[in-house]
């Protein structure tokens, strides 16, 4: 199977250079490497152009902001049977692509496979990874997953690969909000694949080192900063994905849980006292932004 690696990038040239070096060092060389570059990002274009001795590497120009537009442009340009995705601030392990391709070649009913993004200073371990609970609460933990390979509901965009035929049918959801990372695009894609009857596999032996870096956009989820607008975009995206995925009593349970309970990140009424005590006025802003986003 032909393999394509896609790397969306925006103004992080040192990170991109390191990422491309890791991709070039793969034990299974990709058939092509597509770097999506926004038309205003001359520095990133220069990084790609400097690799004149790497014919598999190509730039995919993008005129619209947001990772969804970038990935759809790459999807339209790819010739691979498998599309592997990573971030420009990640450094894939040498066997990263080979391991993912092996899973997809061995299991015809698997549309996507992903693994662990190792982060500096994080030592926790969790067996429960990439799962959507019956009432719509999402459990991530991809960066601290342990155990054998298993089926999951959601993969993480920094370390994953998909069958091109499966995601070309669904595509990356253009309705998602945001000007940069467009948080929860993976949730929208993966739940659509699950509804179509495909399996998704998470294996923590598939790894990238994730050098989590500041983004040159407003989407700062898990980057140590709170901003109402990108938080509202992220919660809107999650809510959109869940409302399409859940039906009947499960959807009603999600609506009730998100309003009455929620999480510390996206608080409902019961979480409000705790987040206000810990974050002060920022906690109140977080609650209001969450409610606006849930209403759509």
């Amino acid at each position: 199977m032909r393999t394509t690696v896609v790397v969306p990038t925006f103004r992080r040239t040192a990170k991109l250079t390191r990422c491309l070096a890791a991709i070039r060092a793969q034990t299974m060389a990709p058939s092509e490497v597509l770097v999506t570059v926004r038309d205003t990002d001359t520095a990133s274009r220069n990084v790609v152009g400097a690799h004149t001795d790497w014919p598999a590497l190509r730039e995919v120009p993008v005129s619209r902001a947001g990772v969804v537009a970038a990935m759809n442009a790459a999807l339209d340009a790819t010739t691979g049977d498998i599309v592997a995705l990573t971030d420009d601030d990640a450094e894939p392990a040498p066997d990263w692509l080979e391991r993912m391709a092996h899973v997809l070649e061995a299991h015809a009913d698997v549309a996507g496979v992903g693994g662990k993004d190792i982060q500096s200073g994080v030592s926790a371990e969790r067996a429960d990874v990439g799962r959507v609970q019956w009432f719509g609460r999402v459990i991530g933990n991809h960066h601290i997953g342990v155990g054998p390979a298993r089926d999951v509901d959601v993969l993480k965009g920094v370390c994953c690969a998909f069958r091109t035929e499966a995601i070309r049918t669904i595509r990356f959801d253009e309705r998602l909000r945001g000007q940069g990372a467009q948080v929860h695009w993976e949730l929208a894609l993966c739940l659509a694949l699950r509804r179509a009857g495909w399996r998704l596999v998470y294996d923590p032996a598939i790894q990238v080192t994730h050098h989590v870096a500041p983004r040159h956009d407003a989407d700062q989820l898990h980057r140590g900063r709170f901003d109402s607008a990108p938080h509202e975009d992220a919660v809107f995206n999650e809510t959109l994905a869940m409302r399409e995925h859940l039906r009947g009593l499960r959807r009603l349970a999600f609506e009730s849980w998100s309003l009455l309970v929620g999480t510390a990140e996206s608080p409902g009424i019961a979480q409000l006292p705790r987040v206000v005590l810990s974050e002060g006025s920022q906690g109140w802003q977080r609650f209001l932004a969450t409610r606006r986003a849930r209403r759509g």
Side-chain angles (χ1 to χ4, degrees), residues 186-218:
E186 305 102 315
L187 184 66
L189 177 68
C190 289
L191 292 185
L193 289 168
R194 297 286 291 121
R195 289 196 300 278
W198 290 100
R199 292 172 56 208
L200 302 172
V201 172
Y202 171 85
D203 184 352
I206 299 168
Q207 297 181 353
V208 303
T209 300
H210 196 179
H211 307 280
V212 181
R215 295 171 175 152
H216 298 291
D217 55 59

Side-chain angles (χ1 to χ4, degrees), residues 12-19 47 88:
R12 299 198 295 195
T13 54
K15 304 293 188 297
L16 176 61
T17 299
R18 178 174 55 198
C19 178
V47 170
D88 59 2

